[in-house]
Amino acid sequence: MLIDIDGVLTVSWKPLPGAVEALRHLRASGLAVALLTNTTSRTRASIAGTLADVGFPVTAEDVLTAPAATAAYLAEHFPGARCSLLNSGDIREDLTGVDLVDGDDTETETVPDVVVVGGAGPEFDYTALNRAFGHLQRGAHLVAMHRNLYWRTDEGLRLDTGAFLAGLEAAARTEAEITGKPAPAFFGAALARLGVGAGEALMVGDDIESDVLAAQRAGITGVLVRTGKYLPETHRAAHPAPDHVLDSFAGLPALLESVPDR
């Protein structure tokens, strides 16, 4: 089981009805579980601790984050690179081995090798975005943890990285490398951790493109839930359709019982 967190298990880190019980049921059934999240405001340990505090049976080892995937990507593709990070929240603990330079340093001779864009928040002001634009004009590569346009809080939808990333890409005439969902490598890392093939896994998410359809393109069965950022119009426009659609994560145990063994 590959499971998104925000909008599936929780909203604003508060459990959705029936989610704790459903995850406990999956654990009791012996299913291997990985929580895949594009959340970039917290570390794996912080996420796991917050979820455990409200009753979810998870540890940090169960959580795969976009920042951790980014660290692995940078180590493979840009070893030793000097990186400028634009992100809301402290995630340095998950960026193991990444050389982060001072974001206020704009001198030409100290232009970073890579601009790394994480999750959006108050830090995404004109000064910070223009600084990143300047680095890109001077030859820095662009790596983004995701391109989600929005996420849901208990106060409604909020703009996310994708809304700003599109502008940076257009202005700098470049295209970001994406390391979190929907990057195939992110799903591949989760499958490898669980020791299963794509045909043996389900991905449960509220983002029809980044969670569900991206998983289906990787050969994983997709399950869309009508919670979190779910919007009927994006569901209707989806092609192909999700493999399964549930009102909420609480309905997952019943779905698994109704699907014949592969």
Side-chain angles (χ1 to χ4, degrees):
M1 298 301 307
L2 311 181
I3 305 166
D4 182 36
I5 299 174
D6 192 21
V8 176
L9 300 180
T10 66
V11 168
S12 294
W13 301 104
K14 298 174 184 176
L16 285 164
V20 171
E21 294 76 11
L23 188 56
R24 286 179 176 171
H25 179 89
L26 297 181
R27 289 291 204 192
S29 300
L31 289 169
V33 172
L35 306 183
L36 278 63
T37 178
N38 278 350
T39 296
T40 53
S41 60
R42 297 180 179 221
T43 63
R44 295 170 62 213
S46 173
I47 291 169
T50 298
L51 293 176
D53 285 346
V54 293
F56 288 104
V58 301
T59 68
E61 291 302 309
D62 299 318
V63 181
L64 280 74
T65 66
T70 300
Y73 179 89
L74 292 171
E76 179 180 356
H77 296 277
F78 299 100
R82 300 172 66 256
C83 302
S84 175
L85 175 65
L86 175 57
N87 181 70
S88 183
D90 186 2
I91 53 171
R92 292 171 185 261
E93 181 181 318
D94 279 356
L95 293 175
T96 305
V98 178
D99 181 12
L100 296 176
V101 300
D102 186 356
D104 293 327
D105 195 342
T106 58
E107 295 298 324
T108 302
E109 62 268 26
T110 59
V111 170
D113 303 300
V114 182
V115 171
V116 180
V117 181
E123 295 83 354
F124 279 55
D125 58 15
Y126 179 82
T127 299
L129 289 166
N130 193 53
R131 181 186 304 121
F133 176 50
H135 292 329
L136 296 173
Q137 289 183 92
R138 299 184 187 102
H141 297 275
L142 180 59
V143 172
M145 297 182 191
H146 62 80
R147 57 169 74 251
N148 295 354
L149 292 171
Y150 48 81
W151 83 97
R152 182 173 292 280
T153 72
D154 51 12
E155 297 179 348
L157 295 179
R158 293 291 184 266
L159 281 177
D160 208 346
T161 300
F164 304 95
L165 185 62
L168 278 177
E169 289 176 314
R173 296 183 176 87
T174 190
E175 184 173 350
E177 295 292 329
I178 306 300
T179 55
K181 295 176 293 182
F186 196 44
F187 293 105
L191 295 174
R193 175 170 294 197
L194 297 182
V196 299
E200 302 171 279
L202 279 75
M203 174 69 207
V204 186
D206 64 322
D207 187 315
I208 195 165
E209 178 55 41
S210 293
D211 293 339
V212 180
L213 299 188
Q216 291 179 192
R217 287 193 290 270
I220 302 167
T221 298
V223 181
L224 176 67
V225 292
R226 296 189 183 97
T227 53
K229 66 172 66 174
Y230 172 86
L231 294 173
E233 53 267 36
T234 58
H235 184 185
R236 288 192 297 267
H239 182 76
D243 292 319
H244 302 280
V245 182
L246 298 173
D247 286 336
S248 72
F249 185 77
L252 188 61
L255 172 66
L256 295 177
E257 291 173 4
S258 70
V259 176
D261 291 338
R262 293 173 181 239

